[in-house]
Amino acid sequence: IDETDTEAMVGHARNCLMLGKYDEAFEQLNHCARLAPEYEEIYRFRYQVYDKLGDTRKAIDDLIAYCAMSDSPIVDEDYMMEVFGRSYNYAVAAIKAQILHDADYEKFWRIMLTDVYESRYDYTLALEQYDLLEEKYGATANLCLYRAECYDELGDARMAVAEITRCMELDEDKDPETLSYYYMKRGGYYRKGGMYAEAIADESKAIEYDPKDVFSYYVRGWCYELSGDDQKALADYNLGIDIDDDYPYIFLMRGEMYRKLGDEAKACKDFETVIAKDTIPEKGSCRMYALTFLGRENEAVQWMDSIISADPDNAGGYYDKACLNARMGRVEEGLAALRRAFELGYRGFAHIEHDDDMDLLRETPDYNALINEYLDKM
């Protein structure tokens, strides 16, 4: 390699990085940085090398340097958030420093800061940044959508509905796919707020714009069930499965409905289908509930623990664990998991209020004390 050819040397360093030869890659990239410190690709790869070598702060410095130098940085956002997460406070401070010193790209850095906050489930701080962005640059459909998602995570269904409604008003792209998505999202917020008639209306509009969207049939069916109309709920679950039979949750809901209606054979068949389709322990899994309905409680607990192990800072995982334990009659374990969810930032109080998984826990004084403790912290 010609040691004056920066591009070739960076390419060699990239190959060393891919092969796990981190020391060699590091040496090459440092040499390149001395020769051509303005060449952005150096920092694109050196931040990864620093991370592999365990020097997180320098990794963050190089990652930010690369983003500052490149007009269109090529980064894996999930990996970027992992790097920032290894030294969260330093990452936040470094990005805030860029906001102060790089005024021409303030918007870019504030958006990055919201991403960092959301990666740590700190939706209140993310909302503060969205407020600043709107104040400086005006409201946009995407900004209102992101705000809606933050309010949803905080359990404020009313504000989530208000923000996504603003999003729908601001978005000039009125194609059917986009409209279906918006109505589906708003319907979900209405459901979490216990506004079932409004949720049913929005999910019906979503289906009108995208008749193949299984998720809207699932949510609408759930809202019919919560409203006491089991037959309409079952009809929607059947419709959704006829249209798309790859979504495990709708089989779970139909299985519960069959059991409620006294058809145990059909219920167990649907629960077995969930187990066959839901094979990866990750956020959004429902396999543990199907295992519980089939009496396989130990397997259900193991599956839930695997989900949490994969993402231990995810408040939603602990909320799901609270639901699972409540379903199994394990009150103390359920309350402990619910407290952990609150400690990690879960604030879906409206959802909790209407979640029948919580029925057993609601009967205990410790539940009310726990809810009131965290309501006071809102």
Side-chain angles (χ1 to χ4, degrees), residues 320-339:
D320 288 344
K321 185 173 183 176
C323 291
L324 180 67
N325 278 289
R327 285 186 182 214
M328 295 188 299
R330 302 180 181 185
V331 174
E332 289 186 9
E333 293 92 332
L335 288 170
L338 184 58
R339 174 173 288 280

Side-chain angles (χ1 to χ4, degrees), residues 109-122:
W109 297 113
R110 286 201 184 279
I111 291 170
M112 180 181 284
L113 187 56
T114 64
D115 291 341
V116 173
Y117 285 144
E118 290 182 43
S119 74
R120 286 291 288 262
Y121 314 109
D122 200 333

Side-chain angles (χ1 to χ4, degrees), residues 115-148:
D115 291 341
V116 173
Y117 285 144
E118 290 182 43
S119 74
R120 286 291 288 262
Y121 314 109
D122 200 333
Y123 300 104
T124 300
L125 289 178
L127 281 167
E128 289 177 5
Q129 291 301 312
Y130 287 130
D131 288 344
L132 288 168
L133 284 164
E134 181 171 345
E135 184 180 327
K136 287 204 71 168
Y137 304 104
T140 64
N142 278 343
L143 188 147
C144 292
L145 178 62
Y146 300 149
R147 287 166 60 92

Side-chain angles (χ1 to χ4, degrees), residues 213-238:
D213 181 12
V214 64
F215 189 77
S216 289
Y217 290 101
Y218 157 71
V219 175
R220 190 174 70 176
W222 191 0
C223 289
Y224 277 131
E225 186 175 351
L226 290 166
S227 302
D229 195 332
D230 291 346
Q231 291 305 316
K232 283 188 176 180
L234 182 60
D236 262 355
Y237 298 149
N238 285 332

Side-chain angles (χ1 to χ4, degrees), residues 144-163:
C144 292
L145 178 62
Y146 300 149
R147 287 166 60 92
E149 291 171 348
C150 287
Y151 280 119
D152 176 46
E153 293 289 350
L154 289 169
D156 193 336
R158 181 184 62 83
M159 285 301 298
V161 166
E163 285 299 324

Side-chain angles (χ1 to χ4, degrees), residues 1 32 40 50 112 146 162 172 223 247 262 309 327 333 336:
I1 298 173
C32 291
E40 65 196 48
Y50 272 130
M112 180 181 284
Y146 300 149
E172 297 178 356
C223 289
Y247 185 51
S309 295
R327 285 186 182 214
E333 293 92 332

Side-chain angles (χ1 to χ4, degrees), residues 261-275:
L261 296 173
D263 196 331
E264 189 65 22
K266 286 184 177 179
C268 288
K269 184 177 179 181
D270 273 353
F271 299 145
E272 292 288 358
T273 300
V274 172
I275 292 169

Side-chain angles (χ1 to χ4, degrees), residues 45 50 58 157 165 168 183 195 206 227 234 238 243 254 256 261 304 308 329 364:
F45 296 110
Y50 272 130
K58 287 184 178 178
T165 300
M168 295 164 78
Y183 280 113
M195 296 172 275
S227 302
L234 182 60
N238 285 332
I243 289 164
R254 190 176 71 172
E256 291 187 67
L261 296 173
M304 187 72 254
I308 289 173
T364 68

